[in-house]
């Protein structure tokens, strides 16, 4: 049966060159590239770096179609294929010699005095105040009060996002086979006046994190989802948890998460 392939690219000169080469190679292998994405697309090939893949996920709303990445960016943690390995990829794909890795995102429900909104991110949801002053937030897990956080904000990361902003904040790297959320403080205040966790905490996938502003001064917050930002006023509560929505990445036999961690970070 013919397979429909859609190519998504960051449109740099290098990525455009690889796309042209890829289209020719796919055509010779009887794989058909379509210019538009649809629900019956069999494969999305993402050419670029990790940022390109995150934009793809947001633009198409966590598509169920399997995704494989060709890395033309810097880190390329999500991207599976190096440009010089495209022939190997086409051969293995035609032979069905690959597996699917599902990665869940993080969802954030925003309740304000004016209504509700929702954002879903693959890597992380970050909550920050808008001013140069620290933000004060009451934190609960499953309606059980945990702390009154004071600091610059919170980063709530999925296992897939543990190696991104979360890692830069001092959070732990999490194997994506573990189903959990990591809550990492951003510049937490710890002194005689304020008491906050200074390290990340891990919570099970079915638990929900509740964030409630402590005062009117804290009700205007910036919600950042995979690098994209929205500002909300009069926030009454944020409810954050692991999303049921996920993406499906193609992985080949030689993929090993910890080998990739070692090659990218050490």
């Amino acid at each position: 049966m013919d397979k429909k392939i859609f190519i998504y690219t960051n449109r740099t000169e290098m990525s455009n060159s690889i796309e042209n080469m890829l289209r020719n190679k796919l055509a010779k292998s009887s794989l058909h590239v379509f210019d538009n994405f649809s629900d019956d697309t069999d494969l999305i090939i993402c050419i670029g770096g990790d940022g390109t893949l995150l934009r793809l996920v947001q633009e198409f709303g966590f598509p169920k179609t399997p995704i494989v990445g060709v890395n033309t960016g810097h880190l390329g943690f999500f991207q599976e294929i190096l440009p010089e390995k495209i022939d190997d990829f086409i051969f293995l794909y035609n032979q069905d010699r690959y597996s699917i890795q599902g990665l869940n995102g993080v969802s954030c429900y925003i309740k304000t005095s004016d209504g509700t909104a929702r954002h879903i991110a693959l890597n992380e949801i970050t909550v920050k105040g808008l001013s140069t002053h620290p933000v004060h937030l009451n934190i609960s897990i499953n309606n059980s009060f945990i702390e009154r956080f004071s600091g610059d904000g919170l980063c709530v990361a999925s296992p897939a996002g543990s190696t991104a902003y979360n890692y830069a904040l001092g959070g732990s790297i999490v194997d994506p086979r573990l189903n959990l959320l990591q809550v990492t403080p951003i510049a937490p205040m710890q002194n005689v006046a304020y008491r906050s966790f200074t390290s990340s905490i891990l919570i099970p996938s079915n638990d929900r994190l509740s964030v409630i502003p402590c005062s009117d001064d804290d009700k205007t917050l910036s919600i950042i989802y995979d690098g994209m930002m929205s500002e909300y006023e009069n926030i009454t509560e944020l409810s954050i948890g692991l999303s049921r929505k996920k993406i499906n990445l193609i992985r080949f036999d030689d993929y090993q998460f910890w080998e990739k961690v070692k090659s990218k970070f050490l």
Side-chain angles (χ1 to χ4, degrees):
M1 186 176 71
D2 291 341
K3 293 184 177 180
K4 297 177 64 174
I5 295 176
F6 173 71
I7 297 177
Y8 186 94
T9 173
N10 59 9
R11 295 300 172 194
T12 65
E13 182 177 349
M14 180 180 181
S15 295
N16 288 340
S17 174
I18 289 174
E19 180 185 3
N20 292 332
M21 176 186 68
L22 181 58
R23 283 177 176 268
N24 291 331
K25 289 179 179 292
L26 290 170
K28 292 178 181 178
S29 299
S30 301
L31 293 170
H32 304 288
V33 178
F34 290 75
D35 292 331
N36 297 303
F37 173 75
S38 60
D39 289 339
D40 62 346
T41 299
D42 295 293
L43 175 68
I44 301 173
I45 301 176
C46 178
I47 304 176
D50 290 335
T52 306
L53 186 137
L54 294 176
R55 286 192 295 274
L56 159 67
V57 170
Q58 290 294 330
E59 185 173 337
F60 295 109
F62 280 75
K64 296 179 181 178
T65 303
I67 302 169
V68 68
V70 178
N71 185 33
T72 61
H74 298 289
L75 186 62
F77 197 82
F78 287 122
Q79 309 297 74
E80 180 76 351
I81 306 165
L82 295 174
E84 59 268 24
K85 297 292 186 179
I86 285 176
D87 287 333
D88 294 340
F89 149 65
I90 294 174
F91 173 78
L92 293 172
Y93 182 72
N94 267 330
Q95 297 291 318
D96 292 326
R97 290 168 55 184
Y98 59 86
S99 60
I100 299 293
Q101 180 187 42
L103 298 176
N104 291 82
V106 185
S107 67
C108 178
Y109 291 89
I110 303 110
K111 299 178 183 178
T112 74
S113 57
D114 305 312
T116 61
R118 183 178 75 158
H119 295 295
I120 303 176
L122 178 60
N123 273 350
E124 73 278 311
I125 296 285
T126 304
V127 180
K128 290 184 177 181
L130 295 182
S131 67
T132 55
H133 300 285
V135 65
H136 305 283
L137 305 168
N138 286 322
I139 309 298
S140 299
I141 298 174
N142 293 341
N143 297 319
S144 176
F145 178 75
I146 301 299
E147 69 165 342
R148 183 180 186 267
F149 172 83
S150 297
D152 284 356
L154 296 169
C155 173
V156 186
S158 69
S162 69
T163 54
Y165 187 34
N166 168 79
Y167 183 64
L169 293 170
S172 299
I173 294 176
V174 176
D175 191 306
R177 291 173 295 182
L178 298 175
N179 219 13
L180 53 80
L181 282 178
Q182 184 168 186
V183 185
T184 302
I186 305 171
M189 300 174 67
Q190 177 72 286
N191 51 42
V192 295
Y194 302 103
R195 295 289 181 183
S196 302
F197 282 119
T198 57
S199 63
S200 60
I201 60 174
L202 305 178
I203 62 176
S205 60
N206 292 328
D207 287 5
R208 293 203 67 84
L209 184 78
S210 173
V211 179
I212 298 176
C214 291
S215 69
D216 289 342
D217 292 337
D218 303 307
K219 289 185 175 180
T220 299
L221 297 172
S222 174
I223 310 299
I224 305 156
Y225 47 105
D226 285 345
M228 289 165 277
M229 184 177 72
S230 294
E231 297 176 358
Y232 293 91
E233 298 178 346
N234 303 314
I235 290 177
T236 57
E237 183 180 8
L238 304 176
S239 179
I240 306 174
L242 201 66
S243 173
R244 292 182 180 179
K245 285 194 172 184
K246 64 181 180 180
I247 66 166
N248 296 302
L249 290 184
I250 282 186
R251 298 301 193 193
F252 298 103
D253 289 342
D254 60 350
Y255 174 79
Q256 295 289 336
F257 172 74
W258 290 108
E259 285 295 322
K260 195 152 196 175
V261 168
K262 183 174 68 174
S263 68
K264 298 296 183 180
F265 293 104
L266 297 180

